[in-house]
Each structure stands twice: as structure tokens, then as C-alpha cells.
């Protein structure tokens, strides 16, 4: 099974997700937006699967530093170049299991996605 975790390594939520996956022995690839890059195709795939509004991290510093006009005019078309320029604005983590995408991290959700074998 091909599993990829997308994000930036210094993000606390990414650290929690990686720690959880490692503790459960889940093999995955980590895709660091800053080191490995990000493309318009990948962001558009996130938009199509998750909805563009769900991909934007509105709680982060990068989003809060946008001008009021940028926030007011934010839509799928204007969000794309912003996310390519500022990948920290992408909600984290985004998890790919084969062709399915999930956004965010919670131990309950991950336990559902990666159930432990019986008796463990």
C-alpha cells in the first residue's frame, strides 16, 4: 500500500502524525513541501479531492498575514498561486493512501484508517 504524508517537518501536527504512524509501524513516505517541492497539479488534486476551502490553513500565521483584500478575494483560482508560493498555508497533514486523500490528524481517525491487527 502506497502511503504519503504531505507537510512541513517543523509543524507540530505533522510531528504528532509521524510519531503515531511510526509507533504503529505504518510505512509511509514523507513529502516535505519545502524540500521536495509542490506543483499546481498536486494542489489542484488536493482541491478536487478535499475542496479548496478545506486545503487552506486559516489558523496559521501565513494566512493571518494576508491582506484583507487577499482574504476577501480568496477563491479556488486565487488560492492556487498563494499556496504554491506559501506552502505553509496548506492545512497539515494531508495523507494519501493509494488514491484517497485525507486532511488533518486525529488519533481516532488514524486508528480507523490503520486498524491494529487483532490482539495488539
Amino acid at each position: 500500500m502506497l502511503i504519503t504524508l504531505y507537510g512541513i517537518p517543523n509543524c507540530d501536527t505533522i510531528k504528532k502524525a509521524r510519531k503515531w504512524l511510526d509507533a504503529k509501524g505504518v510505512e509511509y513516505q514523507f513529502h516535505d513541501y519545502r524540500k521536495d517541492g509542490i506543483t499546481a497539479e498536486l494542489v489542484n488534486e488536493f482541491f478536487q479531492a478535499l475542496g479548496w476551502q478545506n486545503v487552506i490553513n486559516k489558523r496559521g500565521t501565513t494566512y493571518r498575514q494576508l491582506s484583507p483584500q487577499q482574504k476577501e478575494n480568496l477563491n479556488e483560482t486565487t488560492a492556487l498561486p498563494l499556496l504554491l508560493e506559501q506552502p505553509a498555508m496548506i492545512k497539515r497533514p494531508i495523507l494519501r493512501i493509494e488514491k484517497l486523500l485525507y486532511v488533518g490528524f486525529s488519533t481516532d481517525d488514524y486508528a480507523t484508517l490503520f486498524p491494529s491487527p487483532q490482539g495488539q
Side-chain angles (χ1 to χ4, degrees):
M1 179 179 339
L2 181 61
I3 299 170
T4 306
L5 188 72
Y6 296 92
I8 54 177
N10 62 336
C11 168
D12 288 340
T13 309
I14 289 290
K15 290 176 185 177
K16 289 176 191 174
R18 292 182 82 175
K19 184 177 178 180
W20 191 97
L21 291 168
D22 291 342
K24 300 296 182 185
V26 176
E27 291 186 28
Y28 64 95
Q29 257 186 340
F30 179 66
H31 183 103
D32 180 344
Y33 295 134
R34 293 184 176 140
K35 181 179 166 192
D36 302 319
I38 188 161
T39 64
E41 291 79 18
L42 184 60
V43 174
N44 276 318
E45 183 182 357
F46 293 167
F47 284 0
Q48 295 306 310
L50 304 165
W52 72 269
Q53 301 94 330
N54 295 324
V55 175
I56 298 173
N57 178 12
K58 292 184 178 179
R59 293 183 175 180
T61 305
T62 308
Y63 177 82
R64 290 194 305 259
Q65 291 175 347
L66 292 177
S67 71
Q69 183 180 5
Q70 285 175 304
K71 290 178 187 175
E72 185 177 307
N73 294 324
L74 198 59
N75 60 43
E76 187 170 349
T77 304
T78 60
L80 178 64
L82 285 174
L83 296 180
L84 292 173
E85 184 180 318
Q86 298 288 340
M89 271 185 40
I90 300 172
K91 199 176 281 185
R92 302 175 295 270
I94 292 181
L95 178 70
R96 175 190 304 277
I97 303 173
E98 298 293 336
K99 294 184 182 208
L100 299 175
L101 293 168
Y102 304 89
V103 67
F105 169 74
S106 82
T107 54
D108 290 344
D109 289 347
Y110 274 42
T112 301
L113 294 170
F114 304 103
S116 295
Q118 288 260 326
Q120 288 190 5

